[in-house]
Amino acid sequence: MSDLFPAGRDFMNFGKNFFEDPFDHLLPSTANFKVDIREEVDSYILEAELPGMAKDAIQLKYEDNVLSIGATQETSKDEKDDEGNYIRRERSTKSYSRQFLLKNVKEEDIVANFENGILKVTLPKKATDETTPKQIEIH
């Protein structure tokens, strides 16, 4: 009898399940592309996995201590009969973006490479004048 009514967790996913393409799981997805950031002594190294993306479809920007990565992927599939008439024609466009807060970066020395679906960004650090905190006497 309990099978007749959906569980509360099923209602939470109703919108996602209703509007989701049933064949999406068959295609490679970069909706949440994976990113690794490691801090080295003199720089930050960011590696983002963007399989199937073309280099010219990726936008990279560093502004106000924020590194932004954007990508757009367009796909189309045309099926025609023997006379060249469309039986089916599908097109889709997907956009992805991520932002990362990385402070004390030498903006003019940032280097990015894209090879085999991996975007590697090297962000050199600025030399900081580390000052020791000054104790303030309260009167």
Side-chain angles (χ1 to χ4, degrees):
M1 184 78 165
S2 65
D3 294 342
L4 295 175
F5 299 101
R9 69 179 179 277
D10 294 333
F11 281 118
M12 299 302 289
N13 291 326
F14 175 73
K16 178 182 178 286
N17 293 335
F18 184 76
F19 294 107
E20 187 176 67
D21 184 346
F23 300 105
D24 250 5
H25 69 281
L26 299 175
L27 302 171
S29 175
T30 57
N32 293 317
F33 60 89
K34 293 172 178 46
V35 176
D36 295 326
I37 301 175
R38 65 180 187 273
E39 183 175 6
E40 296 186 351
V41 175
D42 58 349
S43 64
Y44 299 103
I45 308 294
L46 178 139
E47 291 182 338
E49 295 179 13
L50 296 163
M53 290 285 177
K55 182 172 79 170
D56 58 347
I58 301 170
Q59 302 84 39
L60 190 62
K61 181 172 77 169
Y62 183 81
E63 183 177 19
D64 296 329
N65 296 323
V66 176
L67 178 70
S68 300
I69 303 172
T72 303
Q73 186 175 40
E74 296 181 9
T75 57
S76 65
K77 184 174 184 175
D78 295 338
E79 291 182 16
K80 299 180 182 183
D81 62 11
D82 295 336
E83 294 144 15
N85 297 320
Y86 289 110
I87 295 174
R88 180 174 75 172
R89 187 172 189 199
E90 295 182 3
R91 294 159 305 284
S92 67
T93 302
K94 294 182 181 182
S95 296
Y96 312 98
S97 67
R98 304 270 315 261
Q99 294 184 321
F100 306 94
L101 179 65
L102 298 165
K103 295 182 178 182
N104 298 323
V105 171
K106 289 183 194 176
E107 296 179 39
E108 62 278 359
D109 294 337
I110 297 174
V111 177
N113 295 311
F114 185 67
E115 188 174 333
N116 296 327
I118 304 291
L119 174 67
K120 182 177 180 180
V121 184
T122 304
L123 303 108
K125 293 180 184 177
K126 290 180 183 176
T128 58
D129 297 330
E130 291 189 34
T131 58
T132 56
K134 179 184 176 188
Q135 184 66 32
I136 301 170
E137 186 177 335
I138 301 173
H139 299 279

